[in-house]
Amino acid sequence: MDNATLLFLALILDALLGEPKWLWDRFPHPAVLIGNAIRWADDSFNHGDNRRRNGILLTAALVIGGWILGNFIGWFGSIPTLIIAAILLAQRSLVDHVKAVSDALRISIEDGRQSVAMIVGRDTAEMDEPAVARSAIESAAENLSDGVIAPAFWFLILGLPGLLIYKAVNTADSMVGYRTEKHADYGWASAKLDDLLNWIPARLTAALIAATHLILDRWHMIHEDAQLHRSPNAGWPEAAMAQAIDVALSGPRSYDGQMEDFPFVNEDGRKSIGPNDIDASTQALWKAWALTLAITGLLAIF
């Protein structure tokens, strides 16, 4: 089967099954295996005077390893490729995690804080309801790009090797791509390559959100708001989501006890938000997924 047909089936399989707990309680998830390898490399090679060189070598090893492994799996036919692709797409699990925040927030603010802490890296202990909701919605938008559209894009372009390379580099960026004393040099290469690999998918994700909410005429506003983000890519899906469901996102938040005064994205949007707005973001996730599925299906046919 061609890449488009396999991707079409993988998108459906992931949406139906998600991440079966019974399976991953018994076997290590591929993403966990990738993370374990990166953690071992970080412990083993992130020291001395050649950290940047070692980080470049790590990134090169991830690319080469992903290419070799993807082609090796491909030798066994379409079914193993389809299964691995479905496993490495994250639509259903993303929706489930975001929806869990709105469900928890309806119980109590403390439940909402505990639930959102599972999907964001910022401080959650002092969050009020709008802050919890903003965090969940931002996570929904950014992870739609990183966890669904980007993997699907690279699978469509390069097949399973492209998907594995993307997931490995993206995982490395999430683990070592920080501008801290420990990782500024070692994580430089993975962070730069991750930015490059996400450049098109991030903007494509924004376009999918905008198209499914009939707001493509606001593209100039999405573009302007995207520039407010620290990342060259993450601001695009976040800005599109803010426009789509009419909320203000980002804004001040705390990391490691330090308050950061980030600007609001879609500043004129509603700031007093809650569980219903989180639910609106999960509906936006499914709309973007449906359009992606439709486009993939047309590519498979033609």
Side-chain angles (χ1 to χ4, degrees):
M1 285 186 280
D2 61 273
N3 290 348
T5 301
L6 285 168
L7 177 58
F8 181 84
L9 296 173
L11 285 165
I12 294 175
L13 192 60
D14 166 59
L16 291 174
L17 300 180
E19 302 284 353
K21 189 174 185 298
W22 62 265
L23 178 62
W24 304 124
D25 282 347
R26 291 169 173 79
F27 302 99
H29 193 286
V32 173
L33 295 176
I34 293 171
N36 288 341
I38 293 168
R39 185 173 295 105
W40 172 83
D42 188 23
D43 293 339
S44 301
F45 303 111
N46 185 14
H47 52 76
D49 297 327
N50 296 305
R51 293 189 180 193
R52 178 163 294 197
R53 182 203 65 185
N54 292 346
I56 292 172
L57 291 175
L58 167 67
T59 305
L62 293 173
V63 171
I64 295 170
W67 185 261
I68 292 172
L69 181 58
N71 281 290
F72 175 75
I73 294 171
W75 288 343
F76 295 93
S78 297
I79 299 303
T81 298
L82 170 61
I83 292 172
I84 297 298
I87 288 172
L88 293 178
L89 293 170
Q91 173 73 15
R92 178 64 179 274
S93 62
L94 171 60
V95 171
D96 288 347
H97 279 92
V98 175
K99 184 65 170 63
V101 179
S102 67
D103 292 342
L105 198 53
R106 287 187 172 97
I107 298 172
S108 72
I109 182 62
E110 186 56 39
D111 285 283
R113 290 167 179 164
Q114 291 177 8
S115 184
V116 81
M118 298 178 66
I119 60 174
V120 300
R122 67 198 69 170
D123 299 335
T124 61
E126 302 299 324
M127 281 185 176
D128 59 10
E129 183 173 288
V132 171
R134 280 196 300 273
S135 299
I137 295 168
E138 290 164 22
S139 181
E142 294 175 22
N143 283 290
L144 174 63
S145 180
D146 288 357
V148 183
I149 305 304
F153 175 83
W154 287 110
F155 183 89
L156 192 62
I157 299 298
L158 295 173
L160 189 58
L163 172 53
L164 288 173
I165 289 170
Y166 173 78
K167 292 299 291 187
V169 172
N170 185 248
T171 302
D173 177 58
S174 69
M175 295 179 67
V176 302
Y178 297 104
R179 296 176 182 176
T180 60
E181 182 178 352
K182 180 179 180 180
H183 288 121
D185 287 329
Y186 184 74
W188 175 83
S190 60
K192 292 298 183 183
L193 183 55
D194 184 70
D195 285 344
L196 179 62
L197 294 178
N198 277 301
W199 199 92
I200 293 175
R203 288 150 182 81
L204 179 58
T205 303
L208 290 166
I209 295 172
T212 51
H213 289 79
L214 305 179
I215 56 169
L216 283 171
D217 59 326
R218 301 187 206 171
W219 190 255
H220 65 289
M221 300 169 69
I222 293 171
H223 176 269
E224 289 176 2
D225 278 342
Q227 310 310 308
L228 300 175
H229 205 284
R230 296 167 298 167
S231 163
N233 298 315
W236 284 89
E238 185 178 310
M241 183 69 80
Q243 289 286 338
I245 63 175
D246 186 31
V247 298
L249 297 178
S250 193
R253 79 278 303 274
S254 175
Y255 291 97
D256 299 321
Q258 183 70 38
M259 183 61 70
E260 302 282 353
D261 189 23
F262 295 134
F264 279 100
V265 170
N266 188 30
E267 187 171 10
D268 293 332
R270 291 177 296 109
K271 294 185 175 70
S272 181
I273 60 177
N276 290 341
D277 300 289
I278 301 175
D279 290 343
S281 75
T282 62
Q283 292 170 11
L285 295 180
W286 281 122
K287 289 178 180 179
W289 174 89
L291 181 55
T292 301
L293 185 70
I295 293 170
T296 304
L298 290 174
L299 290 173
I301 292 171
F302 296 108

